[in-house]
Every structure is written in C-alpha cells, then in structure tokens.
Amino acid sequence: MTIVGIDLGTTNSLIGVMEKGRPRIFRGEDGGTLVPSIVAFDAKGKPLVGSLAKAGKIQNVLRTIYSSKRFVGKGGKDVEPWMHLLPFDFSKSDDQMVRFSINDKTYTPIEIAAFVIRHLKNMAQCQMLEKVEKAVITVPAYFNDAQRQATKFAGELAGLEVVRILNEPTAACLAYGLDKKARGTVAIFDLGGGTFDISVLRISLSVFEVLATNGNTALGGDDFDHAIAEKLGKEITEVTGLNPMSTPEGRSRLISEAEKAKRALSDATETLFEWNYCHTRFERSLSRSELEKWILPIVRQAEDPCRRCMADARLNPEDITDVILVGGSTRVPLVKKLVEEIFQRKPICTLNPDEVVAIGAAVQAGVLMGQAGELLLLDVIPLSLGIETMGGITAKLIHRNS
C-alpha cells in the first residue's frame, strides 16, 4: 500500500511519494508543484480548490477561503487580533470554533483543510494510477494537541488514514539529510505563510535526533502582507479620501497587492505600487528599506523563540553546524539578515524552501513503507503535557522538549 507525504501549508500545499528510493513531488493543473491552499465556492456551493480557486481571492471574495490553517484547532478568541484584516464572513457559533459563512452554509477550518487534502489525494491518484489511502501529514512543530488532532481529522475527512503527524522542521531535516548525507547539529528556521518554527537537530549517519523546538503558530508571511496593506491603506485614504480597508473586496485586493510588492522587493530594491479600484487611482514608488521598516517588528518576533530553542538544547550559536531556511517567507532579505545575526553564520538556501517539507514528508512515508533505508527519527514534544489540579493550576507530567 502506497503512503504519500503531504505538506499542508498556509499559503500552498504539496503532495509527494517515494519512487525508486527518491522523493517525487506531484504537479498540479498549472504544471507547478505548489497547490494554493485556497477553496472557492460557486453560486451553487460547489468547491474549487488550488489554482482554479486562486482568482477568487479578487473576483469572488465573499465565497473564497484562504490561509485557513491559521484557524485550525483554535477558538474565536484566539484569532481576534487578525480577524478584522481578512475579508471572510465569520459565523458566530456556540462551541467557540471558528466558522466561515458561505452561501448560507458554514464551514470549519477542518472542512476547508479537508477540501485541500482531498484535492491533493485526487491529484496523486491521477498521476500514480492507483488508489491512495494512507498519508503522512506535516504540521508546524509548535502546534498544540488540539491543532494536531484537527489536522488529523481533516485528513480522515478527506478519506485518508493519517499514519503519522510529522513536524515540519523535522521533515525538512530529513530532506536535507537525505540530500547531503550530513552530520552535525542543524538548526531549521521555518517561516511560512502563517506559522513559524525553529528546531535544532543532531544528525549522525541515519539517526535524526531533535534536541529542542520552539515557535509561534501566529507568525508568518501573512502578517507581513497585513502590515504592508495597513500602511499603504492609510496612504491611499489620505490621498484619495477612500478607505480600501472598509469593504471585504477592497481589503482582499489590497492584501493581494501588498503581497505582490513584498515578492517584488525580495529580488529588487525598488518597485512601483499601483492601486486602481472603484475609480480610485493611486501609485507610488516603494523601496525595500521602507518595507523592511514596516515589517521589522514582526520579523523580530522570531528572535526570542530561536534563542529559547538554543537554550533548551543547551547550545550556543557556534555549536550549530548549519542553519537551513524553510518556507517561502525566508526569501525576504530581512529574514535572512535576522537569521545570520542570531546564528552568526550564513544560512543554507540550496534546497527549494517551498518543497523541502513535502520532500521530507515523502521520505518519512517511504520509511514507513520500508523504501527509504534505515532512517531513525527521534522527535520531542513541543509543549508540556499535564493535568489540571485544584485552583486551575496545571501540574506538568511531561515537560516540553522531552
């Protein structure tokens, strides 16, 4: 029975498998390996997933859900800080679970994730010409138990038996170790669209031992986009008198344009920002230094988890052999500068940061099928586990990084 590896991401998702001892990442309708983690519904309620749904972020705003991974396993109070920035119609519910209202129906983040996973499963089945029933699914290392169980349930809802939930940085290290046959102490800096993880692992021959992990499940490229959109939105309002953040369509379009500017300034030092919506035109030159000033407080939030992770592993920066960048948001030059400052060495960018977690998930799937050699993976729990005692106090039974 074939087992696939799935990287269920905030912005994009991927699916792969081990074939003849090497990982293979399947390609979507557009020919690329990245499948946008977007679900759009038509007027009749039929879901479209991936590249087919991407245009809905602009053209079908009120019936399109994206970045839903940020809401998985969380209640309404957990997500209040960024709810107002997104153009979704959030439904109130008695059980405190976040719900999205579409066409008089409500969907949970778990159901949205299941649509994406089912699409990935069908994609793999069409290209492999065989049925897919089992999967390894990756999650941020700092996901708590509720978020992990929600991810597993999403996989089951999509018709898969989830044989393993694998931490994303650990998956990336598996991919790196397979590629480099490396030894040493490696830090995996994983900054994606909605989550941030840092893990320190020791690699020795075919043994991958996680020493410590830390992170922030509400930190990622989406936060960069929102910060840029808010700054530019204020400028547009001052110049034109119209607030683009006042409507769901305006918010969605502005966040999309902010993301374009961010991507452009990852390669260039200057770009032209243009806003042309509702008979309102605004344009201005935007420099990388300006953008970095806006997102610096957000990027800096990754520093403390990195230092705590090294402290938990009882290591200093000079003890780290390599620092590997994972996740699309690590392409932002300011992020690379921060990583170099923290670990006092240039990070490694040889592997595609978008694909490396999916490759690692495929490797772990291959291990479970007996196709990837003698790899031994020793992981830790990211958060302490305990029981609640009288007075609402938690008595820790198993400490984090055990």
Side-chain angles (χ1 to χ4, degrees):
M1 177 65 70
T2 300
I3 304 175
V4 295
I6 294 175
D7 172 13
L8 184 63
T10 306
T11 309
N12 297 295
S13 297
L14 303 91
I15 184 167
V17 71
M18 286 293 280
E19 285 187 351
K20 299 177 182 176
R22 299 298 300 172
R24 172 193 175 189
I25 306 298
F26 296 107
R27 297 187 177 274
E29 300 87 353
D30 59 357
T33 56
L34 301 180
V35 176
S37 302
I38 303 172
V39 180
F41 296 85
D42 64 18
K44 294 181 180 178
K46 180 184 176 183
L48 296 172
V49 182
S51 54
L52 297 174
K54 194 170 184 178
K57 286 180 73 173
I58 303 297
Q59 299 166 6
N60 184 21
V61 176
L62 297 178
R63 294 201 296 264
T64 301
I65 303 297
Y66 56 90
S67 297
S68 63
K69 181 177 174 178
R70 304 196 87 175
F71 302 96
V72 168
K74 292 188 175 182
K77 289 184 179 178
D78 300 323
V79 298
E80 278 178 2
W82 67 80
M83 279 176 75
H84 71 283
L85 294 168
L86 294 167
F88 310 147
D89 183 4
F90 291 96
S91 170
K92 291 184 179 178
S93 60
D94 296 331
D95 57 9
Q96 297 300 309
M97 185 181 286
V98 176
R99 296 177 188 273
F100 311 109
S101 291
I102 308 281
N103 292 342
D104 299 324
K105 284 188 177 181
T106 61
Y107 297 90
T108 65
I110 294 173
E111 290 171 308
I112 298 298
F115 282 124
V116 176
I117 295 171
R118 190 177 294 115
H119 179 79
L120 294 170
K121 181 183 82 166
N122 292 339
M123 212 169 79
Q125 287 181 156
C126 288
Q127 294 175 50
M128 290 173 63
L129 301 178
E130 66 176 272
K131 200 169 183 181
V132 173
E133 295 180 342
K134 296 185 177 184
V136 171
I137 300 181
T138 62
V139 295
Y142 223 54
F143 255 23
N144 61 27
D145 188 58
Q147 291 168 305
R148 290 167 189 269
Q149 291 298 330
T151 303
K152 186 178 180 185
F153 185 48
E156 292 168 351
L157 207 57
L160 290 170
E161 179 188 343
V162 182
V163 294
R164 186 69 55 88
I165 292 289
L166 180 65
N167 289 338
E168 289 168 4
T170 310
C173 198
L174 283 176
Y176 172 78
L178 184 78
D179 185 59
K180 298 289 181 183
K181 300 290 187 289
R183 290 191 185 198
T185 305
V186 179
I188 311 289
F189 185 98
D190 183 355
L191 184 64
T195 58
F196 166 65
D197 286 311
I198 177 70
S199 290
V200 175
L201 299 91
R202 183 179 293 129
I203 306 175
S204 177
L205 294 176
S206 299
V207 179
F208 295 77
E209 181 185 4
V210 181
L211 302 178
T213 193
N214 211 300
N216 185 340
T217 58
L219 175 65
D222 284 0
D223 299 295
F224 300 167
D225 301 340
H226 295 159
I228 298 163
E230 284 196 318
K231 291 287 186 182
L232 291 170
K234 287 177 182 176
E235 288 188 21
I236 292 169
T237 304
E238 287 171 6
V239 173
T240 68
L242 294 173
N243 181 6
M245 299 291 276
S246 62
T247 64
E249 293 85 356
R251 279 200 302 278
S252 184
R253 188 177 289 266
L254 186 58
I255 291 169
S256 181
E257 292 298 328
E259 183 189 5
K260 281 184 191 174
K262 176 189 72 177
R263 288 174 180 267
L265 291 172
S266 291
D267 299 317
T269 55
E270 198 166 298
T271 190
L272 180 66
F273 174 81
E274 296 180 280
W275 175 259
N276 193 0
Y277 178 64
C278 283
H279 311 294
T280 304
R281 183 163 181 79
F282 172 88
E283 65 176 48
R284 59 103 108 195
S285 178
L286 185 62
S287 68
R288 182 188 289 177
S289 59
E290 276 184 288
L291 182 136
E292 289 183 344
K293 185 180 176 183
W294 295 344
I295 67 172
L296 180 61
I298 301 166
V299 174
R300 279 283 173 197
Q301 289 179 38
E303 184 174 4
D304 188 48
C306 289
R307 301 205 184 281
R308 277 189 277 131
C309 186
M310 284 191 286
D312 287 343
R314 295 181 174 84
L315 295 172
N316 295 312
E318 55 267 25
D319 300 320
I320 306 293
T321 313
D322 294 305
V323 182
I324 302 163
L325 297 183
V326 181
S329 296
T330 57
R331 288 191 171 94
V332 175
L334 185 64
V335 173
K336 292 179 182 177
K337 286 180 196 172
L338 177 77
V339 173
E340 190 171 345
E341 177 189 314
I342 295 169
F343 294 98
Q344 300 169 19
R345 70 183 63 247
K346 281 193 176 294
I348 294 172
C349 316
T350 50
L351 292 174
N352 184 333
D354 291 317
E355 294 184 356
V356 64
V357 170
I359 291 170
V363 170
Q364 179 61 36
V367 170
L368 296 175
M369 290 190 293
Q371 293 182 3
E374 297 295 320
L375 288 178
L376 177 62
L377 176 59
L378 304 171
D379 214 334
V380 298
I381 62 165
L383 301 161
S384 298
L385 298 176
I387 56 172
E388 184 180 347
T389 57
M390 185 178 284
I393 297 168
T394 300
K396 295 177 183 176
L397 300 179
I398 305 174
H399 291 262
R400 65 188 171 93
N401 292 319
S402 301

